[in-house]
PDB file of all heavy atoms in Angstrom:
ATOM      1  N   GLY A 141      -0.269 134.205 -80.630  1.00 96.00           N
ATOM      2  CA  GLY A 141       0.219 134.866 -81.870  1.00 96.00           C
ATOM      3  C   GLY A 141      -0.860 135.186 -82.875  1.00 96.00           C
ATOM      4  O   GLY A 141      -2.051 135.115 -82.477  1.00 96.00           O
ATOM      5  N   ASN A 142      -0.465 135.416 -84.033  1.00 95.00           N
ATOM      6  CA  ASN A 142      -1.364 135.793 -85.058  1.00 95.00           C
ATOM      7  C   ASN A 142      -1.571 134.591 -86.032  1.00 95.00           C
ATOM      8  O   ASN A 142      -0.531 133.979 -86.459  1.00 95.00           O
ATOM      9  CB  ASN A 142      -0.870 136.969 -85.878  1.00 95.00           C
ATOM     10  CG  ASN A 142      -1.852 137.458 -86.998  1.00 95.00           C
ATOM     11  OD1 ASN A 142      -1.928 136.883 -88.024  1.00 95.00           O
ATOM     12  ND2 ASN A 142      -2.566 138.497 -86.565  1.00 95.00           N
ATOM     13  N   SER A 143      -2.764 134.189 -86.222  1.00 94.00           N
ATOM     14  CA  SER A 143      -3.099 132.976 -87.026  1.00 94.00           C
ATOM     15  C   SER A 143      -2.645 133.105 -88.473  1.00 94.00           C
ATOM     16  O   SER A 143      -2.454 132.063 -89.119  1.00 94.00           O
ATOM     17  CB  SER A 143      -4.559 132.689 -86.947  1.00 94.00           C
ATOM     18  OG  SER A 143      -5.340 133.769 -87.531  1.00 94.00           O
ATOM     19  N   GLN A 144      -2.432 134.307 -88.998  1.00 92.00           N
ATOM     20  CA  GLN A 144      -2.097 134.569 -90.398  1.00 92.00           C
ATOM     21  C   GLN A 144      -0.565 134.624 -90.590  1.00 92.00           C
ATOM     22  O   GLN A 144      -0.065 134.698 -91.723  1.00 92.00           O
ATOM     23  CB  GLN A 144      -2.756 135.854 -90.892  1.00 92.00           C
ATOM     24  CG  GLN A 144      -4.289 135.854 -90.797  1.00 92.00           C
ATOM     25  CD  GLN A 144      -4.919 134.633 -91.467  1.00 92.00           C
ATOM     26  OE1 GLN A 144      -4.492 134.348 -92.605  1.00 92.00           O
ATOM     27  NE2 GLN A 144      -5.859 133.986 -90.832  1.00 92.00           N
ATOM     28  N   SER A 145       0.202 134.725 -89.422  1.00 90.00           N
ATOM     29  CA  SER A 145       1.600 134.928 -89.566  1.00 90.00           C
ATOM     30  C   SER A 145       2.299 133.560 -89.866  1.00 90.00           C
ATOM     31  O   SER A 145       2.050 132.494 -89.214  1.00 90.00           O
ATOM     32  CB  SER A 145       2.134 135.524 -88.311  1.00 90.00           C
ATOM     33  OG  SER A 145       3.522 135.631 -88.299  1.00 90.00           O
ATOM     34  N   ALA A 146       3.292 133.664 -90.807  1.00 86.00           N
ATOM     35  CA  ALA A 146       4.119 132.460 -91.041  1.00 86.00           C
ATOM     36  C   ALA A 146       5.281 132.314 -90.021  1.00 86.00           C
ATOM     37  O   ALA A 146       5.874 131.168 -89.864  1.00 86.00           O
ATOM     38  CB  ALA A 146       4.600 132.492 -92.480  1.00 86.00           C
ATOM     39  N   ASP A 147       5.581 133.391 -89.333  1.00 86.00           N
ATOM     40  CA  ASP A 147       6.704 133.398 -88.414  1.00 86.00           C
ATOM     41  C   ASP A 147       6.082 133.553 -87.054  1.00 86.00           C
ATOM     42  O   ASP A 147       5.475 134.591 -86.660  1.00 86.00           O
ATOM     43  CB  ASP A 147       7.573 134.592 -88.798  1.00 86.00           C
ATOM     44  CG  ASP A 147       8.804 134.712 -87.775  1.00 86.00           C
ATOM     45  OD1 ASP A 147       8.949 133.691 -87.084  1.00 86.00           O
ATOM     46  OD2 ASP A 147       9.491 135.714 -87.767  1.00 86.00           O
ATOM     47  N   HIS A 148       6.281 132.475 -86.229  1.00 84.00           N
ATOM     48  CA  HIS A 148       5.777 132.481 -84.856  1.00 84.00           C
ATOM     49  C   HIS A 148       6.921 132.659 -83.790  1.00 84.00           C
ATOM     50  O   HIS A 148       6.700 132.361 -82.650  1.00 84.00           O
ATOM     51  CB  HIS A 148       4.948 131.226 -84.545  1.00 84.00           C
ATOM     52  CG  HIS A 148       3.704 131.222 -85.324  1.00 84.00           C
ATOM     53  ND1 HIS A 148       2.540 131.827 -84.848  1.00 84.00           N
ATOM     54  CD2 HIS A 148       3.300 130.641 -86.483  1.00 84.00           C
ATOM     55  CE1 HIS A 148       1.591 131.587 -85.732  1.00 84.00           C
ATOM     56  NE2 HIS A 148       2.039 130.900 -86.774  1.00 84.00           N
ATOM     57  N   ASP A 151       6.024 135.101 -81.037  1.00 95.00           N
ATOM     58  CA  ASP A 151       4.873 134.903 -80.351  1.00 95.00           C
ATOM     59  C   ASP A 151       5.105 135.127 -78.814  1.00 95.00           C
ATOM     60  O   ASP A 151       6.145 134.936 -78.369  1.00 95.00           O
ATOM     61  CB  ASP A 151       4.313 133.383 -80.458  1.00 95.00           C
ATOM     62  CG  ASP A 151       3.598 133.245 -81.792  1.00 95.00           C
ATOM     63  OD1 ASP A 151       3.627 134.137 -82.668  1.00 95.00           O
ATOM     64  OD2 ASP A 151       3.146 132.065 -82.063  1.00 95.00           O
ATOM     65  N   LYS A 192      -2.634 142.453 -82.855  1.00 92.00           N
ATOM     66  CA  LYS A 192      -2.820 141.346 -83.782  1.00 92.00           C
ATOM     67  C   LYS A 192      -2.683 139.962 -83.202  1.00 92.00           C
ATOM     68  O   LYS A 192      -2.269 139.044 -83.933  1.00 92.00           O
ATOM     69  CB  LYS A 192      -1.837 141.488 -84.980  1.00 92.00           C
ATOM     70  CG  LYS A 192      -2.027 142.782 -85.805  1.00 92.00           C
ATOM     71  CD  LYS A 192      -1.076 142.831 -86.929  1.00 92.00           C
ATOM     72  CE  LYS A 192      -1.289 144.139 -87.704  1.00 92.00           C
ATOM     73  NZ  LYS A 192      -0.365 144.263 -88.903  1.00 92.00           N
ATOM     74  N   ILE A 193      -2.956 139.805 -81.968  1.00 95.00           N
ATOM     75  CA  ILE A 193      -2.945 138.460 -81.378  1.00 95.00           C
ATOM     76  C   ILE A 193      -4.463 137.899 -81.508  1.00 95.00           C
ATOM     77  O   ILE A 193      -5.337 138.544 -80.963  1.00 95.00           O
ATOM     78  CB  ILE A 193      -2.579 138.520 -79.855  1.00 95.00           C
ATOM     79  CG1 ILE A 193      -1.157 139.137 -79.742  1.00 95.00           C
ATOM     80  CG2 ILE A 193      -2.673 137.190 -79.229  1.00 95.00           C
ATOM     81  CD1 ILE A 193      -0.080 138.142 -79.686  1.00 95.00           C
ATOM     82  N   ASP A 194      -4.629 136.884 -82.141  1.00 95.00           N
ATOM     83  CA  ASP A 194      -5.964 136.302 -82.287  1.00 95.00           C
ATOM     84  C   ASP A 194      -5.976 134.715 -82.098  1.00 95.00           C
ATOM     85  O   ASP A 194      -6.955 134.044 -82.338  1.00 95.00           O
ATOM     86  CB  ASP A 194      -6.523 136.641 -83.556  1.00 95.00           C
ATOM     87  CG  ASP A 194      -5.740 136.087 -84.733  1.00 95.00           C
ATOM     88  OD1 ASP A 194      -4.751 135.409 -84.569  1.00 95.00           O
ATOM     89  OD2 ASP A 194      -6.272 136.232 -85.918  1.00 95.00           O
ATOM     90  N   GLU A 195      -4.786 134.173 -81.681  1.00 96.00           N
ATOM     91  CA  GLU A 195      -4.803 132.712 -81.591  1.00 96.00           C
ATOM     92  C   GLU A 195      -3.867 132.297 -80.402  1.00 96.00           C
ATOM     93  O   GLU A 195      -2.898 132.884 -80.172  1.00 96.00           O
ATOM     94  CB  GLU A 195      -4.238 132.234 -82.904  1.00 96.00           C
ATOM     95  CG  GLU A 195      -4.085 130.664 -82.988  1.00 96.00           C
ATOM     96  CD  GLU A 195      -3.550 130.178 -84.318  1.00 96.00           C
ATOM     97  OE1 GLU A 195      -2.365 130.416 -84.552  1.00 96.00           O
ATOM     98  OE2 GLU A 195      -4.331 129.616 -85.161  1.00 96.00           O
ATOM     99  N   ASN A 197      -1.788 128.907 -79.020  1.00 97.00           N
ATOM    100  CA  ASN A 197      -1.225 127.662 -79.486  1.00 97.00           C
ATOM    101  C   ASN A 197      -0.943 126.750 -78.247  1.00 97.00           C
ATOM    102  O   ASN A 197      -0.252 127.335 -77.352  1.00 97.00           O
ATOM    103  CB  ASN A 197      -0.034 127.756 -80.398  1.00 97.00           C
ATOM    104  CG  ASN A 197      -0.254 128.780 -81.465  1.00 97.00           C
ATOM    105  OD1 ASN A 197      -1.060 128.610 -82.310  1.00 97.00           O
ATOM    106  ND2 ASN A 197       0.576 129.892 -81.462  1.00 97.00           N
ATOM    107  N   ASN A 212      -4.211 124.688 -82.222  1.00 96.00           N
ATOM    108  CA  ASN A 212      -4.408 126.066 -82.359  1.00 96.00           C
ATOM    109  C   ASN A 212      -5.838 126.467 -81.979  1.00 96.00           C
ATOM    110  O   ASN A 212      -6.809 125.809 -82.440  1.00 96.00           O
ATOM    111  CB  ASN A 212      -4.194 126.558 -83.766  1.00 96.00           C
ATOM    112  CG  ASN A 212      -2.840 126.161 -84.258  1.00 96.00           C
ATOM    113  OD1 ASN A 212      -2.746 125.324 -85.171  1.00 96.00           O
ATOM    114  ND2 ASN A 212      -1.698 126.550 -83.752  1.00 96.00           N
ATOM    115  N   PRO A 214      -8.612 129.714 -81.573  1.00 96.00           N
ATOM    116  CA  PRO A 214      -8.910 131.076 -81.862  1.00 96.00           C
ATOM    117  C   PRO A 214      -9.288 131.871 -80.651  1.00 96.00           C
ATOM    118  O   PRO A 214     -10.064 131.403 -79.803  1.00 96.00           O
ATOM    119  CB  PRO A 214      -9.993 131.069 -82.873  1.00 96.00           C
ATOM    120  CG  PRO A 214     -10.782 129.779 -82.606  1.00 96.00           C
ATOM    121  CD  PRO A 214      -9.667 128.767 -82.168  1.00 96.00           C
TER     122      PRO A 214
END
Side-chain angles (χ1 to χ4, degrees):
N142 186 278
S143 58
Q144 303 302 315
S145 176
D147 180 11
H148 290 277
D151 283 4
K192 299 181 180 180
I193 301 267
D194 64 356
E195 183 178 69
N197 310 302
N212 312 113

